[in-house]
Amino acid sequence: MRPIDLLNGRLKLRHLVLVVAVADHGSVLRAARHLRLAQPAATRSLREVEDLLGVELFTRGPRGVTPTVFGEAFVEHARAVLAELRRAGERIAELADARAGTVTIGTLLAGSNVLLPRAIAALKRDRPGITVIVREATFDAQAPRLLDGELDMIVGRLNPIGDLRGLRQITLYGEPVRLVARRGHPARRRRGLALRDLLDYPWVLPLEQTALRRELEQVFRDEGLPPPSDLVECTSILTVRTLVRDTDMIAALPELVAATDGEIAPLPVPLEPVRRQVGVTLPDGRPLTPSARLMLDHLRREAAALTGRFGR
């Protein structure tokens, strides 16, 4: 198949917007409603793109549409193009008015519950006109959005980027992870408390696809112990803290989290191999917008203040 010339003027911006909307909504009808288009116009526009490409982008079914392998590839590129155009508009607006702008940040479970709010507060004091958008998900879900430009940065516990090309990371500080429980937890009455004793209680752990979960499971293997069987898997730091405060559940939380909640406290069971490296994951080769650069500056300042406070 010969290369397709998409710069000959036949492919329009509205085509990209429609294809992404169809992928997001799973239906031409729902996409048309979202874009405030008549369904026949949306159907005709989608057919124009498929005719131009010479392939089918979506398979039609009774419950909507599903991207084909061609559709998945084209949607990925369409998202990147639209994200860059949004960023171009934002950057021009920011250059015209340095007091305004938008920065979109991805954050992880327990990744930045102290650092990020402080940095956002400092940024808003400095530039009240900047809008900050925060989206929480696992790193695996956030990385593609960072690569295609929907996110400006990911803040939190640094995950290995492996063979993910186009990303770079900045380490802001290192922080131990502690096993924590409520202050009145019965385990605190045991003498010589060890990790095996804690298996008598329920646990709340991060999801399996997180780096912290894998490191915790390695701690159990090193001790010759099975992982907890009575557990809750949770990605919400607010839910984790509430479960630990209100039940006998045990969790592994960064030291800063435990230090900012008076109702929970570390248990005297060390997790020496588990240390949280907190930092920022950024697109490599794509310049940050002025608002994103300001956000990064405040993250660095607040990280330095935190490490000074906790002696790390």
Side-chain angles (χ1 to χ4, degrees):
M1 184 176 181
R2 292 182 179 181
I4 301 170
D5 182 9
L6 297 181
L7 301 178
N8 60 9
R10 295 176 60 196
L11 183 67
K12 309 296 183 183
L13 183 59
R14 60 180 172 82
H15 291 139
L16 302 182
V17 173
L18 175 66
V19 169
V20 170
V22 171
D24 287 343
H25 293 275
S27 160
V28 176
L29 176 59
R30 288 191 291 269
R33 288 174 177 169
H34 174 72
L35 298 174
R36 294 184 172 84
L37 295 174
Q39 184 179 359
T43 301
R44 184 170 59 254
S45 187
L46 179 58
R47 190 177 301 116
E48 289 171 358
V49 184
E50 292 181 324
D51 290 344
L52 174 62
L53 298 174
V55 294
E56 189 177 56
L57 296 180
F58 299 92
T59 56
R60 282 71 171 171
R63 296 186 178 181
V65 299
T66 304
T68 64
V69 64
F70 305 108
E72 290 177 352
F74 189 76
V75 167
E76 179 182 347
H77 289 287
R79 287 188 192 279
V81 170
L82 295 176
E84 284 299 320
L85 288 173
R86 282 193 296 270
R87 289 168 59 82
E90 290 167 2
R91 190 164 188 181
I92 295 301
E94 289 170 15
L95 291 172
D97 181 0
R99 297 167 297 175
T102 301
V103 57
T104 305
I105 305 165
T107 186
L108 315 174
L109 168 66
S112 51
N113 67 297
V114 177
L115 170 66
L116 184 56
R118 292 187 180 199
I120 291 173
L123 174 67
K124 294 295 286 183
R125 285 194 298 269
D126 185 26
R127 301 289 176 87
I130 292 178
T131 299
V132 181
I133 301 171
V134 179
R135 296 174 178 165
E136 182 178 278
T138 63
F139 182 80
D140 290 344
Q142 302 267 20
R145 302 286 74 81
L146 180 60
L147 286 168
D148 65 23
E150 291 186 23
L151 297 176
D152 291 302
M153 62 185 70
I154 301 173
V155 180
R157 192 176 199 267
L158 293 178
N159 284 251
I161 55 178
D163 58 355
L164 285 173
R165 297 181 180 179
L167 297 180
R168 62 186 176 95
Q169 293 181 322
I170 299 173
T171 301
L172 296 177
Y173 61 87
E175 176 187 8
V177 173
R178 307 293 191 196
L179 292 180
V180 300
R182 63 183 177 88
R183 291 191 177 275
H185 196 285
R188 298 186 188 279
R189 297 193 291 269
R190 294 198 185 192
R191 292 184 178 181
L193 186 66
L195 184 61
R196 67 174 59 253
D197 300 320
L198 299 180
L199 291 175
D200 295 338
Y201 303 98
W203 286 62
V204 53
L205 292 175
L207 298 181
E208 288 186 347
Q209 60 264 41
T210 60
L212 179 55
R213 174 66 173 271
R214 292 190 290 268
E215 292 176 22
L216 291 171
E217 289 178 344
Q218 185 61 49
V219 169
F220 281 98
R221 285 193 292 269
D222 291 344
E223 294 280 336
L225 299 171
S229 57
D230 183 358
L231 63 87
V232 172
E233 296 183 351
C234 183
T235 59
S236 166
I237 187 61
L238 178 61
T239 302
V240 172
R241 292 169 73 166
T242 302
L243 286 172
V244 172
R245 286 198 306 260
D246 296 349
T247 73
D248 284 341
M249 286 189 180
I250 293 166
L253 292 177
E255 188 175 49
L256 283 173
V257 177
T260 54
D261 192 321
E263 298 181 56
I264 65 177
L267 292 163
V269 178
L271 285 178
E272 294 302 331
V274 184
R275 187 174 183 84
R276 188 179 76 145
Q277 295 298 317
V278 177
V280 184
T281 304
L282 298 166
D284 190 17
R286 188 177 76 225
L288 294 176
T289 65
S291 296
R293 285 200 302 271
L294 284 171
M295 185 77 253
L296 182 57
D297 289 343
H298 283 292
L299 285 166
R300 284 179 162 138
R301 292 192 195 106
E302 294 303 319
L306 286 172
T307 53
R309 172 185 168 185
F310 287 90
R312 304 189 191 282

Short mmCIF file of all heavy atoms in Angstrom, two decimals, residues 202-232:
data_model
loop_
_atom_site.label_atom_id
_atom_site.label_comp_id
_atom_site.label_asym_id
_atom_site.label_seq_id
_atom_site.Cartn_x
_atom_site.Cartn_y
_atom_site.Cartn_z
N PRO A 202 -6.73 -7.64 58.38
CA PRO A 202 -7.00 -7.28 56.97
C PRO A 202 -6.05 -6.17 56.51
O PRO A 202 -5.54 -5.38 57.31
CB PRO A 202 -8.45 -6.80 57.00
CG PRO A 202 -8.66 -6.36 58.40
CD PRO A 202 -7.83 -7.23 59.27
N TRP A 203 -5.82 -6.13 55.20
CA TRP A 203 -4.93 -5.14 54.60
C TRP A 203 -5.66 -4.37 53.51
O TRP A 203 -6.61 -4.87 52.91
CB TRP A 203 -3.71 -5.83 53.97
CG TRP A 203 -2.70 -6.33 54.96
CD1 TRP A 203 -2.88 -7.28 55.92
CD2 TRP A 203 -1.33 -5.94 55.05
NE1 TRP A 203 -1.73 -7.50 56.61
CE2 TRP A 203 -0.74 -6.69 56.09
CE3 TRP A 203 -0.55 -5.02 54.34
CZ2 TRP A 203 0.60 -6.55 56.45
CZ3 TRP A 203 0.79 -4.88 54.69
CH2 TRP A 203 1.35 -5.64 55.74
N VAL A 204 -5.17 -3.18 53.21
CA VAL A 204 -5.59 -2.44 52.02
C VAL A 204 -4.31 -2.13 51.24
O VAL A 204 -3.37 -1.53 51.77
CB VAL A 204 -6.40 -1.16 52.37
CG1 VAL A 204 -5.67 -0.26 53.35
CG2 VAL A 204 -6.75 -0.41 51.10
N LEU A 205 -4.27 -2.61 50.00
CA LEU A 205 -3.05 -2.52 49.18
C LEU A 205 -3.34 -1.82 47.86
O LEU A 205 -4.48 -1.79 47.38
CB LEU A 205 -2.51 -3.92 48.89
CG LEU A 205 -1.95 -4.71 50.08
CD1 LEU A 205 -1.57 -6.13 49.62
CD2 LEU A 205 -0.76 -4.01 50.68
N PRO A 206 -2.29 -1.27 47.22
CA PRO A 206 -2.48 -0.71 45.87
C PRO A 206 -2.82 -1.81 44.88
O PRO A 206 -2.65 -3.00 45.14
CB PRO A 206 -1.11 -0.09 45.56
CG PRO A 206 -0.33 -0.12 46.82
CD PRO A 206 -0.91 -1.14 47.70
N LEU A 207 -3.29 -1.41 43.70
CA LEU A 207 -3.60 -2.37 42.65
C LEU A 207 -2.36 -3.12 42.20
O LEU A 207 -1.24 -2.64 42.33
CB LEU A 207 -4.24 -1.66 41.45
CG LEU A 207 -5.56 -0.95 41.69
CD1 LEU A 207 -6.06 -0.32 40.40
CD2 LEU A 207 -6.60 -1.91 42.24
N GLU A 208 -2.57 -4.29 41.61
CA GLU A 208 -1.45 -5.16 41.23
C GLU A 208 -0.52 -4.51 40.21
O GLU A 208 0.66 -4.80 40.19
CB GLU A 208 -1.98 -6.49 40.68
CG GLU A 208 -2.59 -7.39 41.75
CD GLU A 208 -2.97 -8.74 41.19
OE1 GLU A 208 -3.00 -8.88 39.94
OE2 GLU A 208 -3.25 -9.66 41.98
N GLN A 209 -1.05 -3.64 39.35
CA GLN A 209 -0.22 -3.07 38.29
C GLN A 209 0.65 -1.91 38.77
O GLN A 209 1.37 -1.31 37.97
CB GLN A 209 -1.05 -2.62 37.10
CG GLN A 209 -2.09 -1.56 37.40
CD GLN A 209 -3.46 -2.16 37.65
OE1 GLN A 209 -3.57 -3.18 38.30
NE2 GLN A 209 -4.50 -1.54 37.11
N THR A 210 0.59 -1.57 40.07
CA THR A 210 1.40 -0.47 40.57
C THR A 210 2.76 -0.98 41.04
O THR A 210 2.92 -2.12 41.48
CB THR A 210 0.70 0.24 41.74
OG1 THR A 210 0.50 -0.71 42.81
CG2 THR A 210 -0.65 0.79 41.32
N ALA A 211 3.76 -0.09 40.95
CA ALA A 211 5.12 -0.45 41.37
C ALA A 211 5.17 -0.74 42.87
O ALA A 211 5.86 -1.66 43.32
CB ALA A 211 6.09 0.68 41.01
N LEU A 212 4.42 0.03 43.67
CA LEU A 212 4.43 -0.18 45.12
C LEU A 212 3.90 -1.56 45.48
O LEU A 212 4.45 -2.23 46.36
CB LEU A 212 3.61 0.91 45.81
CG LEU A 212 3.51 0.81 47.34
CD1 LEU A 212 4.88 0.76 47.98
CD2 LEU A 212 2.69 1.97 47.90
N ARG A 213 2.86 -2.01 44.81
CA ARG A 213 2.31 -3.34 45.10
C ARG A 213 3.35 -4.42 44.82
O ARG A 213 3.55 -5.36 45.61
CB ARG A 213 1.06 -3.56 44.25
CG ARG A 213 0.45 -4.96 44.35
CD ARG A 213 -0.10 -5.30 45.72
NE ARG A 213 -0.80 -6.57 45.70
CZ ARG A 213 -2.09 -6.72 45.41
NH1 ARG A 213 -2.83 -5.66 45.13
NH2 ARG A 213 -2.65 -7.91 45.41
N ARG A 214 4.06 -4.30 43.70
CA ARG A 214 5.08 -5.30 43.37
C ARG A 214 6.20 -5.30 44.40
O ARG A 214 6.71 -6.37 44.78
CB ARG A 214 5.63 -5.02 41.96
CG ARG A 214 4.62 -5.26 40.85
CD ARG A 214 5.27 -5.22 39.49
NE ARG A 214 5.71 -3.88 39.12
CZ ARG A 214 4.98 -3.02 38.44
NH1 ARG A 214 3.75 -3.34 38.07
NH2 ARG A 214 5.46 -1.83 38.14
N GLU A 215 6.59 -4.14 44.88
CA GLU A 215 7.67 -4.06 45.87
C GLU A 215 7.22 -4.65 47.21
O GLU A 215 8.01 -5.33 47.89
CB GLU A 215 8.11 -2.61 46.04
CG GLU A 215 8.82 -2.06 44.81
CD GLU A 215 9.17 -0.59 44.95
OE1 GLU A 215 9.27 -0.12 46.11
OE2 GLU A 215 9.34 0.08 43.92
N LEU A 216 5.98 -4.41 47.60
CA LEU A 216 5.47 -4.98 48.84
C LEU A 216 5.40 -6.50 48.77
O LEU A 216 5.73 -7.21 49.74
CB LEU A 216 4.09 -4.40 49.16
CG LEU A 216 4.06 -2.91 49.54
CD1 LEU A 216 2.63 -2.41 49.60
CD2 LEU A 216 4.76 -2.69 50.87
N GLU A 217 4.95 -7.01 47.63
CA GLU A 217 4.89 -8.47 47.49
C GLU A 217 6.28 -9.08 47.55
O GLU A 217 6.45 -10.19 48.07
CB GLU A 217 4.20 -8.82 46.17
CG GLU A 217 2.69 -8.51 46.20
CD GLU A 217 2.00 -8.81 44.88
OE1 GLU A 217 2.71 -8.95 43.86
OE2 GLU A 217 0.75 -8.88 44.88
N GLN A 218 7.30 -8.35 47.07
CA GLN A 218 8.66 -8.85 47.16
C GLN A 218 9.13 -8.90 48.61
O GLN A 218 9.86 -9.81 49.01
CB GLN A 218 9.60 -7.96 46.34
CG GLN A 218 11.04 -8.47 46.28
CD GLN A 218 11.14 -9.84 45.65
OE1 GLN A 218 10.60 -10.08 44.58
NE2 GLN A 218 11.83 -10.77 46.30
N VAL A 219 8.70 -7.95 49.44
CA VAL A 219 9.03 -7.96 50.86
C VAL A 219 8.50 -9.23 51.51
O VAL A 219 9.20 -9.90 52.29
CB VAL A 219 8.47 -6.70 51.56
CG1 VAL A 219 8.59 -6.84 53.08
CG2 VAL A 219 9.20 -5.45 51.08
N PHE A 220 7.25 -9.61 51.20
CA PHE A 220 6.68 -10.83 51.76
C PHE A 220 7.46 -12.06 51.28
O PHE A 220 7.74 -12.97 52.07
CB PHE A 220 5.20 -10.95 51.38
CG PHE A 220 4.30 -10.09 52.22
CD1 PHE A 220 3.86 -8.85 51.75
CD2 PHE A 220 3.88 -10.51 53.47
CE1 PHE A 220 3.03 -8.06 52.52
CE2 PHE A 220 3.05 -9.72 54.24
CZ PHE A 220 2.62 -8.49 53.76
N ARG A 221 7.82 -12.09 50.00
CA ARG A 221 8.60 -13.23 49.49
C ARG A 221 9.95 -13.33 50.19
O ARG A 221 10.39 -14.43 50.54
CB ARG A 221 8.78 -13.10 47.98
CG ARG A 221 7.54 -13.43 47.17
CD ARG A 221 7.85 -13.60 45.70
NE ARG A 221 8.24 -12.34 45.08
CZ ARG A 221 7.39 -11.50 44.49
NH1 ARG A 221 6.10 -11.78 44.46
NH2 ARG A 221 7.83 -10.39 43.94
N ASP A 222 10.59 -12.20 50.42
CA ASP A 222 11.89 -12.21 51.09
C ASP A 222 11.79 -12.72 52.52
O ASP A 222 12.75 -13.29 53.05
CB ASP A 222 12.49 -10.79 51.11
CG ASP A 222 12.90 -10.32 49.71
OD1 ASP A 222 13.01 -11.18 48.81
OD2 ASP A 222 13.10 -9.10 49.53
N GLU A 223 10.62 -12.52 53.15
CA GLU A 223 10.41 -13.00 54.52
C GLU A 223 9.87 -14.43 54.54
O GLU A 223 9.61 -14.99 55.61
CB GLU A 223 9.41 -12.08 55.24
CG GLU A 223 9.92 -10.67 55.48
CD GLU A 223 10.85 -10.60 56.68
OE1 GLU A 223 10.73 -11.47 57.57
OE2 GLU A 223 11.68 -9.68 56.72
N GLY A 224 9.67 -15.02 53.35
CA GLY A 224 9.12 -16.37 53.28
C GLY A 224 7.65 -16.43 53.66
O GLY A 224 7.18 -17.46 54.16
N LEU A 225 6.94 -15.35 53.41
CA LEU A 225 5.53 -15.26 53.81
C LEU A 225 4.64 -15.12 52.59
O LEU A 225 5.05 -14.54 51.58
CB LEU A 225 5.32 -14.03 54.72
CG LEU A 225 6.08 -14.01 56.04
CD1 LEU A 225 5.93 -12.66 56.71
CD2 LEU A 225 5.60 -15.12 56.96
N PRO A 226 3.40 -15.61 52.69
CA PRO A 226 2.44 -15.34 51.62
C PRO A 226 1.94 -13.91 51.72
O PRO A 226 1.94 -13.33 52.81
CB PRO A 226 1.31 -16.34 51.91
CG PRO A 226 1.36 -16.49 53.41
CD PRO A 226 2.81 -16.41 53.79
N PRO A 227 1.50 -13.33 50.63
CA PRO A 227 0.91 -11.99 50.73
C PRO A 227 -0.42 -12.06 51.48
O PRO A 227 -1.00 -13.14 51.62
CB PRO A 227 0.71 -11.58 49.27
CG PRO A 227 0.63 -12.88 48.53
CD PRO A 227 1.52 -13.84 49.26
N PRO A 228 -0.92 -10.96 51.99
CA PRO A 228 -2.20 -10.97 52.72
C PRO A 228 -3.33 -11.53 51.84
O PRO A 228 -3.44 -11.19 50.67
CB PRO A 228 -2.44 -9.50 53.04
CG PRO A 228 -1.08 -8.87 52.98
CD PRO A 228 -0.33 -9.61 51.94
N SER A 229 -4.14 -12.38 52.44
CA SER A 229 -5.28 -12.95 51.71
C SER A 229 -6.56 -12.17 51.98
O SER A 229 -7.48 -12.16 51.16
CB SER A 229 -5.48 -14.42 52.10
OG SER A 229 -5.68 -14.54 53.50
N ASP A 230 -6.62 -11.51 53.12
CA ASP A 230 -7.78 -10.68 53.48
C ASP A 230 -7.42 -9.24 53.13
O ASP A 230 -6.76 -8.54 53.91
CB ASP A 230 -8.07 -10.83 54.97
CG ASP A 230 -9.32 -10.05 55.39
OD1 ASP A 230 -9.92 -9.38 54.53
OD2 ASP A 230 -9.67 -10.11 56.59
N LEU A 231 -7.82 -8.82 51.94
CA LEU A 231 -7.36 -7.49 51.52
C LEU A 231 -8.39 -6.76 50.68
O LEU A 231 -9.31 -7.36 50.11
CB LEU A 231 -6.04 -7.60 50.76
CG LEU A 231 -6.00 -8.37 49.44
CD1 LEU A 231 -6.36 -7.49 48.27
CD2 LEU A 231 -4.61 -8.95 49.21
N VAL A 232 -8.19 -5.47 50.59
CA VAL A 232 -8.92 -4.57 49.69
C VAL A 232 -7.88 -3.94 48.78
O VAL A 232 -6.81 -3.52 49.24
CB VAL A 232 -9.67 -3.47 50.48
CG1 VAL A 232 -10.26 -2.43 49.53
CG2 VAL A 232 -10.76 -4.09 51.35
#
